[in-house]
Amino acid sequence: MERIVILTGAGVSAESGLGTFRDTDGLWTRYDLEEVATPEGFTRNPGLVHEFYNARRANTLAATPNAAHVALARLERDWPGEVVLVTQNVDDLHERAGSTALIHMHGVLTGALCAACGHRWPAPRAMNMSDLCPSCDRAATRPDIVWFGEMPYQMDRIYDVVARADLFVSIGTSGEVYPAAGLVEEARMAGAETVEINLEPTRRPGLFDEVIAGQASRAVPAWVERMIASKGG
Ligand code: APR
């Protein structure tokens, strides 16, 4: 039975009120990513970085999954084959919608990481520089987020599921950030069919066999319905 790998980006959470990065009024039009999303920025001004992620954590806690998150969880449940979600998003809306086969390649807002010893623990609502690591007792707490210039998490596992995919679907991502943006090429090389669902098609000619333009909260449930119906579900 077909193995489906789905890559999601900020566009899937946009209708839950969580801003995207590169759209009009996106986060990177309002914040300097060098300051808030690089290890160097954290060294220079950890307080500013904590402020930025504390605000994003508060927004995420206040948000709820939308129909796109719910439909993807349903696909995982009702699809007779394997469905794996690889998300660039650091919010927990996929989990709260019921998805379990999920890889957070850019980390999670709900996690804290000790920059000194590598220990991980659940993030407090608001993190600050004086927070001590519960393991090594040093004040080197950072959000468990992958910053620019750092290697995303679980890349071996991600390349493995992409190499075995029969169908690769990209949802709500601009395809501008690597290595995530290169996964569709990996999938094509492995012989997978490829589909893009995005508000604005990303105009990467030759990469997608099918392009569905539209809002995720509408286009994803319709696509999931179609998929499940194709298997008599
Ligand atoms: N439904 C579907 N797609 C949408 C919607 C929506 N409601 N709203 C916006 N989009 C699309 C936009 O057209 C755009 O192509 O989502 C995409 C969002 O692109 P980006 O803002 O670049 O976000 P993303 O691709 O997830 O960014 C990748 O970059 O900043 C880093 O680490 C961060 O994970 C992030 C990575």
Side-chain angles (χ1 to χ4, degrees):
M1 187 52 68
E2 279 165 354
R3 281 183 289 252
I4 306 177
V5 173
I6 299 169
L7 173 71
T8 64
V12 89
S13 294
E15 294 161 79
S16 294
L18 302 183
T20 64
F21 295 94
R22 293 172 186 81
D23 293 320
T24 327
D25 203 32
L27 283 171
W28 298 149
T29 67
R30 291 182 279 129
Y31 294 89
D32 179 349
L33 69 84
E34 297 292 337
E35 293 307 319
V36 296
T38 63
E40 298 76 19
F42 185 65
T43 306
R44 273 194 302 274
N45 190 344
L48 177 70
V49 174
H50 282 310
E51 214 179 283
F52 175 70
Y53 287 100
N54 287 345
R56 291 185 62 195
R57 196 173 300 108
N59 291 344
T60 297
L61 288 168
T64 51
N66 63 56
H69 299 105
V70 173
L72 292 172
R74 177 189 170 209
L75 183 69
E76 182 190 319
R77 250 191 342 267
D78 298 350
W79 181 253
E82 188 189 0
V83 175
V84 177
L85 256 181
V86 177
T87 189
Q88 298 170 84
N89 300 345
V90 294
D91 64 60
D92 62 347
L93 299 183
H94 281 306
E95 293 90 326
R96 283 158 53 191
S99 289
T100 57
L102 179 62
I103 304 172
H104 276 278
M105 71 184 295
H106 292 164
V108 285
L109 282 166
T110 51
L113 171 66
C114 176
C117 75
H119 179 67
R120 286 188 161 85
W121 67 100
R125 268 175 180 264
M127 241 183 238
N128 65 60
M129 294 181 309
S130 57
D131 288 357
L132 300 179
C133 168
S135 174
C136 75
D137 232 17
R138 281 174 282 185
T141 302
R142 57 169 279 182
D144 190 6
I145 303 281
V146 176
W147 287 325
F148 289 94
E150 296 182 322
M151 180 49 89
Y153 296 155
Q154 304 194 57
M155 285 314 296
D156 291 348
R157 191 168 154 223
I158 293 171
Y159 284 128
D160 175 57
V161 292
V162 168
R164 294 184 297 107
D166 301 298
L167 176 61
F168 178 90
V169 187
S170 169
I171 304 177
T173 182
S174 60
E176 292 195 20
V177 175
Y178 284 77
L183 295 176
V184 59
E185 278 125 319
E186 299 283 332
R188 285 190 79 81
M189 280 195 292
E193 196 193 321
T194 57
V195 175
E196 178 181 64
I197 305 178
N198 218 53
L199 191 60
E200 309 273 338
T202 56
R203 309 203 186 291
R204 292 180 283 167
L207 283 185
F208 294 102
D209 300 302
E210 183 183 1
V211 173
I212 302 170
Q215 289 186 310
S217 68
R218 291 179 196 201
V220 175
W223 173 75
V224 166
E225 193 61 52
R226 204 181 87 196
M227 291 298 291
I228 291 175
S230 76
K231 295 297 171 200

